[in-house]
Amino acid sequence: KIMIVPNGIDVDSIQMKSSWKRTGNVLFLSRVHPKKGINYLIEAFAQFGGDYHCIIAGEGEASYIEELKRLAGKLGIAERVRFIGGVYGNEKWELFRKADVFVLPTHSENFGIVVAEALACGTPVITTTGTPWEELNTQHCGWWTEVGTAPTLNALRSFANCSENELEQMGRNGRKLVEDKYSAKAEADGMLNMYKALAK
């Protein structure tokens, strides 16, 4: 997969979470659209169990949101899945920081800026091979899975088995990955090095 990177993330302006004590929040934050695979998250969450709530943040077609709500109701987890609409600014960053894990079960993304934003906040991430985020596995900051309900469930169970110390280490690994590779400074340094190489 080709990683199409935005103009770098202003990591210095993003506060990392100060605690990895479990809050019981599993977060999806993106556009609410069929390509994002939210149905897989809801289906996996129904089998996940535990004392967790799933927060679905983002805007989308009202008819599709109602379809997802009906799915949650049919699976008996309507009270554990919250649809909160679009969130922006400080509220968005607070959601990232308060989540135990961020899940983007998408079919396809060129980059997935929300993955980098979650990592910058120190929150481990579950996303799919429909994204170019293999580094979640290689840098030990999350889970890079196949697309679908079963892989999402397996990743959630793996997350649930982590200790809070392990989640903290993953969170710090993710923050470092974004600082080293996807921050505005890293992007600027990369461009400068490229120009220097061309000038030789």
Side-chain angles (χ1 to χ4, degrees):
K1 251 183 194 297
I2 298 172
M3 182 82 91
I4 299 177
V5 185
N7 294 325
I9 296 164
D10 185 10
V11 180
D12 290 341
S13 72
I14 300 172
Q15 181 184 343
M16 186 168 69
K17 63 168 68 184
S18 57
S19 170
W20 283 263
K21 185 174 176 60
R22 290 183 190 269
T23 62
N25 291 332
V26 172
L27 175 65
F28 168 92
L29 191 159
S30 188
R31 188 164 54 106
V32 178
H33 186 275
K35 75 167 275 193
K36 301 293 183 178
I38 306 165
N39 57 304
Y40 300 135
L41 173 56
I42 292 172
E43 289 164 358
F45 199 73
Q47 301 174 62
F48 179 45
D51 191 21
Y52 288 94
H53 285 82
C54 184
I55 298 170
I56 309 289
E59 297 178 356
E61 293 287 340
S63 59
Y64 182 59
I65 292 170
E66 285 305 312
E67 182 182 323
L68 292 173
K69 288 180 178 178
R70 285 195 298 272
L71 175 62
K74 177 182 167 187
L75 295 172
I77 57 168
E79 73 286 352
R80 293 174 54 215
V81 180
R82 291 174 51 213
F83 291 81
I84 64 172
V87 289
Y88 307 95
N90 290 336
E91 186 183 0
K92 179 182 83 168
W93 298 115
E94 275 300 300
L95 276 177
F96 277 129
R97 283 190 288 270
K98 288 180 179 176
D100 291 335
V101 66
F102 174 74
V103 186
L104 183 69
T106 181
H107 288 272
S108 177
E109 303 284 332
N110 285 329
F111 179 68
I113 187 70
V114 287
V115 171
E117 289 176 339
L119 293 174
C121 291
T123 300
V125 171
I126 296 169
T127 194
T128 70
T129 53
T131 75
W133 281 97
E134 186 177 2
E135 287 164 318
L136 295 179
N137 287 348
T138 60
Q139 302 302 312
H140 307 293
C141 50
W143 295 263
W144 193 58
T145 74
E146 296 296 323
V147 178
T149 301
T152 303
L153 176 60
N154 289 338
L156 282 170
R157 285 174 171 163
S158 179
F159 145 75
N161 287 330
C162 289
S163 68
E164 288 175 359
N165 285 341
E166 288 171 327
L167 292 177
E168 178 175 354
Q169 188 57 61
M170 294 177 82
R172 294 189 183 281
N173 291 346
R175 173 74 177 208
K176 186 174 188 305
L177 171 63
V178 176
E179 286 176 345
D180 290 350
K181 194 167 180 183
Y182 302 114
S183 67
K185 180 180 184 305
E187 290 288 298
D189 288 347
M191 290 295 289
L192 181 61
N193 290 336
M194 183 182 75
Y195 286 128
K196 282 179 178 176
L198 291 172
K200 284 182 179 177

